[in-house]
Amino acid sequence: MVPFRIMSFGGMRQLFWLAVVASGMIAAQFVALSHPAHAQGVVRDIRVEGNRRVEPETVRSYLQFSVGQPYDPGKVDASLQALFGTGLFADVSINQEGDTAVIYVVENPVINQIAFEGNSEVDTDTLKAEVQLKPRSVYTRARVQGDVQRILDVYRRQGRYAATVEPKIIELEQSRVNLVFEINEGGATKVQGINFTGNHAFTDNQLRDVISTTQSGWLDFLKGTAYYDPDRMNLDRELLRQFYLKNGYADVRVVAANAELDRDASGFYVNFAIDEGELYTFGSVTIENSLPGLDPNSLTGDILTHQGDTYNGGNIEKTTEKLTLVTAEQGFAFARVRPRAVPDPVARTISLTYLVDEGPRIYIERINVNGNTRTKDYVIRREFRLAEGDAYNPLLVDRAKKRLNALGFFKSVDIKRRPGSSQDRVILDVDLVEQSTGELSFGAGYSTSEGVIGDVSISERNLLGNGQFLRLRLAGSLERMQIDLSFTEPRFLDQNLSAGFDLFHKEIDMTKEAGYESTRTGGTVRLGFPLSEDLWMQTGYTLEYASLDVNEHSTNVSELVKLENDLRGDTLTSSIGTSLTFDRRNIPKNPTSGYYLQVATDMAGLGGDVQYVRVNAEGRFYYPISEKLTFVGRLTGGHIEGWGGDDIRLTDLYYRGGETIRGFDRGGFGPRDLASDDAVGGRTYWAGTAEVRFPLPFVPDDLGLSGAVFADAGSLWNANNLAKSINTCNAAIPGNCGAGQIDLVDDSTIRSSVGASIMWQSPVGPIRMDFAKALTKESYDEEQFFRFGASTKF
């Protein structure tokens, strides 16, 4: 027998608790074995609820977990982010129900219609093109807010910074909505003033002519440049920089360009800070060639930058392009020309070396043109000096981009390069954004010679997408009416030729000055082309029908005019003409240095009733005496002579007055019939002007006021043969002049005058007032002390 021992009460109690713990562990293990999925959180099913248009499988495809994987909170969060990122859902939740993951979604509605309310300054079509949400697209708050910002940007480009946009939705059945953008356009925020700091070489007024932004005026509703636009500010910075580079300031920097809203938020004040640097001239200019077989001396004739000339960054670019083209024409297709500038700050010169070497051998596989919905492809491609299959030259591509921008047809031009089908091939993508090229403009003004003057014109710079120019213009005053139609093809026969035609009708009332009214109707065909960088030649043929209207019974009309009308009547003129123009002015609109020369000849007699040869010449010279003073000189003259025994008609003679020599009235000097006090015109004239322009002292530059002192001189003489052949009389003796007689005075006496002027670049256009006193004159000349002129374009 095995002995046993009776345990004490304390030991029995320990044994009891041990048995309880053991039985609990066994039960837990049994439960775990019988329910393994719930215990470990493994997903056995995924259910999608709340979806209407989106398929369940589409929802499941964005989940970061799948059936059979543990239910991981981190992956659940990633799944929520992925589903929200699709933009398909307004709300998403993921819950666990046992071993099933339940995905509950609230779908974003589909847009049925998009409407705009409150817009009057910007048309609905423009806004529709700007927003990215379209009908049948999915509505999301983020996309709506993005479109709100785009609409605000449209209004800001028009200067309406007070505009607000509030999007609202109208819920429809089947999870659809109508989206309405409620717009409060606010008032237009214009540019009240444009100021420059740091500019010494050029005045504020001159720089305002360079940039595209303009100050607000009375007629801003017809133009958009007086409204503040940040994008235009960037363009203006570049325009200022290029302007200074072309006028000798190689170190120029536009340090800052900012706009400040005034206190009452009614307008912006635009400020440009400029560091002009020093004025440079060109030093030595050489060509350094590393291409075997190329004679650098053959390239010197194409250089536009010459030692001693004022530095001109534009001429450096043009020379680089010309040298690249010339070397390519000589058989060096991959030639590369790079300018190397060496400045000498002490001597203020910049020496140039044009480096000619061989670039990488890459060919253009294809040129793709994108975005030209209106402009035809060939108009764009002809601005390239490259074609598909040619050697790729980045300089010529960059110049093509600048030429496309200069056309004025596009808001933006971007040329991108990407690899072609092989390593030595590239594809050029030309991305364009077109802009409006039509223009309706009005002009108005007043002059003491013609009274109220005005004109209206409608023009199109890109006619039917062909790059052609068409303009219809109507102009007139109390003494003149003119209508003309002009057409120009700037690249005739795809060459650097400008061809076109002009049709015109003119009615001029010379009753007060010469005793007749004239009417001219006709047309001109013309062809122009550049002979060099600054020299332009134009030739044309004109056919014109002219008539005189004379009151035969008036005692105030010269007998010469009556006889001219009786002998000639209506005439037909057939003429051919040629002109040469050389322009080296720094700013064509408001120059301070340089010169302008023009000579024009025309010959009539290629058929018709009139035979003459006429020569006109003009020269204008501008010299900066100092930063504030500019000397302006002008010489002009002309002569007309009949041939084949023909005399000159009164309407073809020269009539001169205050427009040539200030201090004299219109038609105020030259041959005259004292019996009727009518000007009868002359065959020869000349005139000269010396003028010094300066800013008015004690007047802020931003007012646009300036002054000038001047001296004019000239003469007009040599009446036609008919005037010299008529019986003369002495008009000083009462009753001495009868029918068929005139009292002709005709001499080449020099007329001269001195005076002063006040000029104002006003918000409505330039205004000029001239005060002149005739110094040398004849007793029969007609004087005019004050001459006023004003005009505007809008």
Side-chain angles (χ1 to χ4, degrees):
M1 293 181 63
V2 179
F4 65 94
R5 182 184 301 171
I6 298 175
M7 300 180 66
S8 65
F9 177 77
M12 292 179 66
R13 185 173 59 183
Q14 293 178 357
L15 182 62
F16 171 78
W17 287 113
L18 183 61
V20 171
V21 173
S23 62
M25 293 176 64
I26 294 171
Q29 185 176 7
F30 175 77
V31 171
L33 291 173
S34 59
H35 304 284
H38 185 270
Q40 296 181 8
V42 175
V43 177
R44 294 300 182 186
D45 187 22
I46 298 175
R47 187 170 72 249
V48 179
E49 297 180 356
N51 58 307
R52 296 183 179 181
R53 300 184 314 275
V54 183
E55 295 293 331
E57 284 304 318
T58 301
V59 177
R60 293 189 184 101
S61 67
Y62 289 99
L63 299 178
Q64 306 300 308
F65 59 89
S66 59
V67 174
Q69 293 182 346
Y71 185 86
D72 186 342
K75 291 184 176 182
V76 169
D77 288 341
S79 300
L80 288 171
Q81 294 178 11
L83 288 169
F84 275 115
T86 64
L88 297 172
F89 309 107
D91 193 16
V92 180
S93 63
I94 301 179
N95 299 308
Q96 184 182 17
E97 294 182 2
D99 56 2
T100 300
V102 180
I103 318 299
Y104 183 79
V105 297
V106 177
E107 294 179 352
N108 276 321
V110 172
I111 296 176
N112 180 54
Q113 291 181 346
I114 298 178
F116 303 89
E117 295 182 355
N119 58 304
S120 59
E121 296 297 327
V122 180
D123 60 83
T124 299
D125 290 339
T126 300
L127 297 177
K128 283 182 177 179
E130 194 71 24
V131 299
Q132 293 187 354
L133 284 171
K134 307 295 180 185
R136 294 186 297 279
S137 62
V138 177
Y139 170 92
T140 69
R141 293 180 181 177
R143 296 177 70 184
V144 169
Q145 291 304 317
D147 282 345
V148 167
Q149 188 59 47
R150 293 182 185 91
I151 294 172
L152 289 174
D153 289 342
V154 172
Y155 278 96
R156 286 174 179 172
R157 286 196 294 270
Q158 295 199 4
R160 295 184 174 270
Y161 279 77
T164 59
V165 180
E166 185 178 353
K168 292 187 177 181
I169 61 172
I170 301 173
E171 295 185 0
L172 306 174
E173 58 184 7
Q174 299 179 353
S175 189
R176 295 177 303 127
V177 296
N178 287 340
L179 176 60
V180 180
F181 291 100
E182 293 186 351
I183 302 171
N184 180 5
E185 295 181 321
T189 313
K190 301 179 182 179
V191 176
Q192 301 292 349
I194 302 175
N195 302 310
F196 301 87
T197 58
N199 56 309
H200 304 289
F202 303 99
T203 65
D204 285 12
N205 285 332
Q206 290 173 321
L207 296 181
R208 291 188 188 107
D209 289 337
V210 173
I211 63 178
S212 60
T213 302
T214 59
Q215 295 181 144
S216 63
W218 297 348
L219 304 168
D220 292 336
F221 64 93
L222 292 172
K223 60 182 180 180
T225 54
Y227 298 101
Y228 174 67
D229 184 351
D231 294 335
R232 195 183 296 121
M233 289 277 289
N234 295 328
L235 170 63
D236 289 340
R237 291 186 68 154
E238 182 61 19
L239 290 174
L240 287 170
R241 192 181 74 87
Q242 292 294 336
F243 171 75
Y244 271 96
L245 289 175
K246 290 179 181 179
N247 286 280
Y249 294 87
D251 298 329
V252 65
R253 293 186 306 124
V254 182
V255 180
N258 54 67
E260 299 177 354
L261 197 62
D262 59 9
R263 293 182 178 179
D264 58 0
S266 62
F268 279 95
Y269 284 87
V270 175
N271 304 291
F272 293 94
I274 300 173
D275 181 6
E276 292 182 331
E278 298 294 338
L279 178 65
Y280 283 86
T281 57
F282 285 118
S284 61
V285 180
T286 58
I287 297 177
E288 186 176 305
N289 173 46
S290 62
L291 293 177
L294 176 66
D295 180 10
N297 293 325
S298 65
L299 306 177
T300 55
D302 296 292
I303 294 177
L304 303 176
T305 53
H306 304 288
Q307 185 172 359
D309 287 354
T310 302
Y311 175 86
N312 188 321
N315 283 345
I316 295 176
E317 291 185 359
K318 293 174 183 177
T319 299
T320 304
E321 181 182 8
K322 291 187 71 173
L323 294 179
T324 302
L325 291 173
V326 170
T327 52
E329 290 171 356
Q330 295 186 22
F332 301 90
F334 298 97
R336 179 176 57 186
V337 180
R338 294 170 294 165
R340 182 178 64 194
V342 180
D344 184 347
V346 178
R348 297 181 184 175
T349 61
I350 295 179
S351 299
L352 278 177
T353 301
Y354 292 99
L355 307 174
V356 184
D357 60 7
E358 187 173 69
R361 291 180 171 268
I362 301 175
Y363 297 89
I364 298 175
E365 180 176 327
R366 193 166 64 252
I367 299 176
N368 299 323
V369 180
N370 309 310
N372 56 319
T373 57
R374 183 163 177 261
T375 308
K376 295 178 181 178
D377 261 29
Y378 77 89
V379 175
I380 299 163
R381 293 180 183 273
R382 71 188 182 189
E383 299 303 324
F384 284 80
R385 302 298 184 260
L386 298 164
E388 293 165 342
D390 288 352
Y392 171 74
N393 191 307
L395 169 68
L396 298 184
V397 173
D398 182 65
R399 294 295 296 167
K401 178 180 178 180
K402 292 181 178 180
R403 280 190 290 269
L404 287 172
N405 274 315
L407 290 176
F409 301 164
F410 311 106
K411 285 184 180 178
S412 64
V413 178
D414 189 20
I415 302 179
K416 298 177 181 177
R417 167 186 167 180
R418 57 187 173 94
S421 58
S422 60
Q423 290 185 347
D424 63 344
R425 297 288 188 273
V426 294
I427 297 174
L428 299 180
D429 292 319
V430 184
D431 297 325
L432 307 168
V433 178
E434 292 184 312
Q435 65 181 0
S436 174
T437 53
E439 180 180 0
L440 174 65
S441 65
F442 302 85
Y446 179 83
S447 74
T448 49
S449 60
E450 294 189 53
V452 177
I453 57 177
D455 68 81
V456 57
S457 68
I458 182 170
S459 61
E460 171 57 60
R461 293 178 285 113
N462 187 14
L463 183 65
L464 301 176
N466 293 316
Q468 299 160 335
F469 175 83
L470 181 68
R471 183 185 67 185
L472 177 64
R473 177 174 174 264
L474 175 66
S477 67
L478 297 178
E479 299 183 355
R480 172 179 55 88
M481 193 281 286
Q482 175 178 343
I483 183 171
D484 57 69
L485 176 69
S486 297
F487 171 82
T488 302
E489 167 56 71
R491 296 292 297 276
F492 184 59
L493 300 177
D494 278 339
Q495 302 295 317
N496 196 13
L497 301 172
S498 173
F501 66 83
D502 305 297
L503 303 176
F504 58 85
H505 175 80
K506 303 177 183 178
E507 297 179 4
I508 302 176
D509 185 358
M510 294 282 290
T511 304
K512 177 182 176 183
E513 295 82 8
Y516 66 83
E517 297 178 7
S518 68
T519 301
R520 296 171 179 258
T521 303
T524 300
V525 291
R526 47 187 161 75
L527 179 70
F529 50 90
L531 297 177
S532 67
E533 195 64 37
D534 302 306
L535 183 62
W536 180 266
M537 180 176 183
Q538 180 167 297
T539 185
Y541 170 79
T542 300
L543 185 66
E544 177 188 275
Y545 175 81
S547 63
L548 278 180
D549 185 8
V550 179
N551 185 353
E552 297 282 353
H553 304 291
S554 174
T555 58
N556 295 324
V557 176
S558 171
E559 292 294 323
L560 172 64
V561 176
K562 295 178 182 179
L563 185 57
E564 168 96 7
N565 190 42
D566 293 338
L567 293 177
R568 289 183 177 269
D570 299 342
T571 56
L572 182 67
T573 302
S574 174
S575 64
I576 186 170
T578 301
S579 66
L580 285 171
T581 304
F582 189 73
D583 192 350
R584 291 292 299 272
R585 294 173 295 176
N586 62 340
I587 317 172
K589 188 175 181 180
N590 191 12
T592 56
S593 66
Y595 50 90
Y596 171 92
L597 304 173
Q598 185 180 70
V599 58
T601 64
D602 56 296
M603 184 181 73
L606 306 177
D609 307 318
V610 180
Q611 298 179 117
Y612 64 75
V613 175
R614 177 166 52 199
V615 179
N616 292 313
E618 180 182 9
R620 304 178 207 163
F621 311 90
Y622 305 87
Y623 180 77
I625 301 174
S626 67
E627 291 183 0
K628 301 288 187 179
L629 300 179
T630 301
F631 171 79
V632 180
R634 179 173 181 260
L635 289 174
T636 182
H639 178 75
I640 185 170
E641 191 69 41
W643 63 277
D646 208 356
D647 195 13
I648 306 299
R649 297 178 305 172
L650 289 177
T651 54
D652 291 327
L653 294 170
Y654 297 107
Y655 295 84
R656 292 293 179 261
E659 78 286 346
T660 307
I661 304 177
R662 286 160 287 193
F664 292 86
D665 202 354
R666 184 185 183 193
F669 65 90
R672 184 174 295 276
D673 177 9
L674 297 182
S676 62
D677 200 27
D678 284 338
V680 296
R683 286 183 285 185
T684 308
Y685 88 97
W686 68 271
T689 292
E691 181 173 292
V692 176
R693 298 175 182 175
F694 51 86
L696 291 179
F698 313 112
V699 176
D701 289 342
D702 55 6
L703 291 181
L705 284 168
S706 60
V709 292
F710 61 83
D712 296 339
S715 185
L716 169 65
W717 71 99
N718 202 1
N720 65 6
N721 294 330
L722 180 62
K724 296 177 181 179
S725 66
I726 298 179
N727 294 327
T728 60
C729 63
N730 187 349
I733 302 175
N736 190 46
C737 293
Q741 292 183 317
I742 64 172
D743 188 0
L744 177 66
V745 287
D746 181 10
D747 60 69
S748 59
T749 304
I750 295 177
R751 277 75 165 182
S752 63
S753 66
V754 294
S757 303
I758 296 177
M759 296 166 285
W760 181 29
Q761 295 291 334
S762 74
V764 297
I767 294 175
R768 178 164 183 146
M769 293 174 285
D770 296 319
F771 304 87
K773 174 63 178 175
L775 295 181
T776 58
K777 62 183 180 65
E778 293 299 318
S779 60
Y780 51 83
D781 291 339
E782 297 183 358
E783 297 181 62
Q784 182 187 67
F785 173 72
F786 174 69
R787 183 178 178 85
F788 173 82
S791 65
T792 184
K793 282 286 185 182
F794 45 89

